Amino acid sequence: MSITSFGFLALLFFGLLIYYIVPRGQWLVLLAMSLVFYYFAATPYTIVFLCISILTAYAAGGVCSDIEQATEKGRKRAAFAAILAVLINFGMWFALRGTDLWVSLSYRLSLVVPFVPRLRPLPVAAALGMGYYTLQVIGYILDCYWGTIKPQKNPVKLFLFVIFFPQLTTGPISRYSQLETLYERHRFSYENVAHGMQRILWGFLKKLVLAERVGILINGIWGNLPDYTGWWRWVALLLYPVQMYADFSGSMDIVIGAAEIFGIVLPENFRGPFFSRTAQEFWQRWHITLGAWAKDYVLYPLLKCKKMVKFGRITKKKFGKRIGKFIPTAVSMFVLWMVMGVWHGSFKYVLGVSLWYWIILMLGELLSPVLQKLKSICGIHHDSFSWHFFQSARTYLIYAVGAVFFRADGVGEALEFLKSLITMFQETPNTWIFFDGSVLNLGVTHTDLNIILFCVLLLLIVDVLQEKYGYARNWMAKQILPFRWFIWLALFVFVLIYGQYGPGYDAAEFIYQGF
């Protein structure tokens, strides 16, 4: 069962009816819906892995309670329980989702050291959403240990926190403190239901209308790279971020909308990322919950630990205040980006996400004074539209380069692709690809191309409204009733006519579903 399927919509509809009819047991209704969704969307037996995660988190939470940590012995016991629970959860994820990491590593080691065995993937399926719920569970364990939250005493309620069905496929990565409303009573709210349905509809447009059509172009080029050289490679480079954004943010709209109709507020995961002026700002707007999790549970604890503080003092004395402060930050940021790359589960992500962005961010930090002087010498107005546009275009290109590693089958193919973008200028590229009709050979029609252009323009308008009003629907709420109904009905009809769905169509999995 996909979150774009009719089965998912039926689950929402019947679940919603029961949810508001049985107000006292609403969280049990959500649990039942989550179990039904998991049964149809995943390999059923893999729910055992979720149960193990819950048991470790529940046990560690009990040991990490305020009463247990009242004594020195209790604090040591709590630290041991927290570390053990984190290692168990990370170990399960690494064995099942991190397969490419240890299989590839064993293969490379065996080439150097003959007696090292070449490992094979475990003949066991990973649990649905394992990358997302593992981070949620680890966050819960650490929050309990640090005393940020009070441990949940009911293991079944804790189970709901992990298996809550809307976010199980593609996130977002929620904190326990954000989802405590799961257990509260929610009265029927027309506003919640209307806003949730509108958000789901908007997500359907992104995924079923835009992402699926752009995907045809991307798959056509990447599926036959030897025949698509020159400017085709640049088309693939610049279009793939559009597909990723429409696909991933579309899934977030469906997920957040599905939760909203039940009165549950999930954290936002996107906020106009392509308006970002720097790579650092981009990651504050893209996959927000992953970046926030990495900062709170990796970066800040590492920067605040005694050894890193001591290391910072040494570097300041030896290299001066600015560089001395930069070095421990760079080391901590390197660890953070490595964690984010490893979480994606493959060496190509470690290189394309972690190393690439770490280098970009560190260079930006080091060269900041020089760049500021250059801007001053050139007389660049920081608030001018042209400068903002240049910064956003530069950030888009930086992300597009990193995204090549997402689409490529491996590091070698990604590097060859990026190299061809430069070497193509030594040849005589075909500059008429948009005018000679050859783009239609990729499987799209003129209508599809017009729909893509229209949807991209629509996304741009909505993101602009989001920048100004927080939510585009805040602007919609100020419009007259006939106009609002016309917009939503037109959007519904548009998705109904041009959406790629139905029994004869197999919509592609969400790009971030594999994590």
Side-chain angles (χ1 to χ4, degrees):
M1 180 189 294
S2 167
I3 59 174
T4 57
S5 66
F6 293 117
F8 181 75
L9 294 177
L11 178 66
L12 288 181
F13 176 75
F14 291 109
L16 189 65
L17 292 178
I18 301 172
Y19 184 77
Y20 287 112
I21 292 174
V22 189
R24 290 188 178 181
Q26 286 179 332
W27 72 272
L28 290 173
V29 175
L30 293 178
L31 179 60
M33 292 177 67
S34 300
L35 290 171
V36 170
F37 176 79
Y38 195 90
Y39 179 83
F40 287 103
T43 306
Y45 74 81
T46 58
I47 200 170
V48 172
F49 302 130
L50 278 84
C51 293
I52 295 173
S53 290
I54 294 303
L55 290 174
T56 58
Y58 181 74
V63 176
C64 293
S65 63
D66 294 336
I67 298 175
E68 287 289 337
Q69 295 199 61
T71 63
E72 181 65 25
K73 186 177 180 180
R75 284 191 289 273
K76 290 182 178 179
R77 189 188 299 117
F80 175 79
I83 292 171
L84 180 61
V86 169
L87 289 176
I88 290 173
N89 280 277
F90 173 76
M92 283 196 302
W93 172 87
F94 189 71
L96 298 170
R97 278 291 187 204
T99 301
D100 182 72
L101 293 168
W102 50 268
V103 169
S104 299
L105 182 61
S106 69
Y107 174 75
R108 287 174 173 80
L109 287 175
S110 68
L111 297 177
V112 181
V113 186
F115 60 82
V116 173
R118 295 185 180 182
L119 302 177
R120 295 182 178 180
L122 297 176
V124 180
L128 178 67
M130 198 171 201
Y132 301 101
Y133 81 70
T134 297
L135 294 188
Q136 287 195 182
V137 169
I138 290 175
Y140 170 82
I141 294 167
L142 294 177
D143 283 341
C144 288
Y145 175 67
W146 292 332
T148 307
I149 60 172
K150 292 183 178 180
Q152 173 57 251
K153 295 181 179 180
N154 188 334
V156 182
K157 287 185 175 181
L158 189 60
F159 186 64
L160 174 59
F161 163 67
V162 175
I163 202 175
F164 184 47
F165 73 98
Q167 65 176 13
L168 199 57
T169 303
T170 57
I173 302 165
S174 303
R175 312 291 176 87
Y176 178 77
S177 57
Q178 295 171 324
L179 287 187
E180 285 186 297
T181 53
L182 283 171
Y183 320 118
E184 297 174 0
R185 178 178 176 179
H186 297 94
R187 296 184 180 277
F188 177 81
S189 167
Y190 171 79
E191 186 178 71
N192 285 344
V193 174
H195 285 170
M197 292 173 64
Q198 291 164 3
R199 193 76 184 261
I200 292 172
L201 180 60
W202 180 238
F204 278 4
L205 180 136
K206 286 182 179 179
K207 169 61 177 174
L208 300 179
V209 180
L210 178 57
E212 291 294 290
R213 279 182 170 80
V214 176
I216 295 172
L217 294 171
I218 299 298
N219 294 335
I221 297 172
W222 274 94
N224 198 6
L225 283 177
D227 291 340
Y228 289 97
T229 57
W231 288 108
W232 287 112
R233 301 286 180 96
W234 279 94
V235 171
L237 176 82
L238 298 176
L239 268 184
Y240 188 57
V242 175
Q243 183 192 4
M244 287 192 72
Y245 178 57
D247 185 282
F248 195 12
S249 68
S251 73
M252 287 299 100
D253 289 323
I254 297 169
V255 165
I256 292 172
E260 191 170 10
I261 66 176
F262 296 100
I264 309 298
V265 179
L266 293 178
E268 294 290 342
N269 223 14
F270 290 90
R271 188 170 55 84
F274 295 129
F275 291 140
S276 304
R277 301 179 191 177
T278 64
Q280 182 178 3
E281 183 186 355
F282 180 87
W283 283 99
Q284 294 170 351
R285 291 168 170 263
W286 177 286
H287 211 337
I288 296 170
T289 56
L290 175 61
W293 189 97
K295 284 191 294 184
D296 291 344
Y297 298 108
V298 178
L299 180 63
Y300 295 152
L302 189 58
L303 284 172
K304 293 177 182 177
C305 73
K306 293 181 180 179
K307 290 185 177 180
M308 188 59 72
V309 172
K310 184 179 179 181
F311 177 63
R313 290 172 184 164
I314 294 172
T315 54
K316 284 180 183 178
K317 287 181 181 179
K318 193 168 184 179
F319 300 102
K321 187 176 181 181
R322 183 174 179 273
I323 300 298
K325 184 180 179 182
F326 169 80
I327 292 174
T329 301
V331 172
S332 300
M333 288 290 287
F334 181 80
V335 175
L336 176 142
W337 280 103
M338 285 299 115
V339 168
M340 291 177 67
V342 168
W343 176 82
H344 285 82
S346 175
F347 282 110
K348 68 174 185 176
Y349 300 122
V350 173
L351 182 60
V353 176
S354 301
L355 194 58
W356 170 245
Y357 268 97
W358 180 78
I359 291 173
I360 292 294
L361 290 172
M362 294 306 100
L363 282 176
E365 184 67 25
L366 280 174
L367 299 176
S368 179
V370 177
L371 295 175
Q372 291 294 337
K373 288 182 180 179
L374 285 174
K375 284 188 285 186
S376 178
I377 293 172
C378 296
I380 295 174
H381 297 286
H382 298 277
D383 295 329
S384 65
F385 169 79
S386 57
W387 178 242
H388 289 178
F389 180 81
F390 167 77
Q391 288 179 305
S392 296
R394 176 192 60 191
T395 304
Y396 184 93
L397 183 60
I398 289 172
Y399 178 75
V401 171
V404 169
F405 291 86
F406 273 80
R407 185 60 184 81
D409 291 333
V411 173
E413 186 178 67
L415 293 177
E416 187 279 328
F417 182 92
L418 292 173
K419 180 182 177 182
S420 69
L421 298 176
I422 301 172
T423 57
M424 62 164 279
F425 295 107
Q426 300 172 1
E427 305 168 0
T428 306
N430 179 11
T431 57
W432 299 97
I433 60 173
F434 293 109
F435 307 101
D436 61 5
S438 57
V439 69
L440 302 179
N441 296 331
L442 293 171
V444 295
T445 64
H446 286 296
T447 301
D448 292 324
L449 295 176
N450 290 331
I451 290 172
I452 290 172
L453 290 174
F454 173 75
C455 288
V456 168
L457 179 61
L458 194 59
L459 257 66
L460 180 63
I461 293 172
V462 171
D463 281 352
V464 168
L465 292 174
Q466 182 175 313
E467 286 286 298
K468 188 173 182 180
Y469 296 97
Y471 284 101
R473 68 187 181 201
N474 292 340
W475 174 83
M476 284 283 288
K478 296 180 180 179
Q479 311 309 313
I480 60 175
L481 185 63
F483 179 81
R484 297 201 305 267
W485 273 98
F486 171 78
I487 291 295
W488 290 116
L489 285 174
L491 193 65
F492 175 77
V493 172
F494 187 73
V495 172
L496 199 63
I497 295 174
Y498 295 111
Q500 308 276 29
Y501 62 90
Y505 185 81
D506 184 18
E509 282 191 357
F510 288 97
I511 294 172
Y512 263 79
Q513 186 171 323
F515 303 112

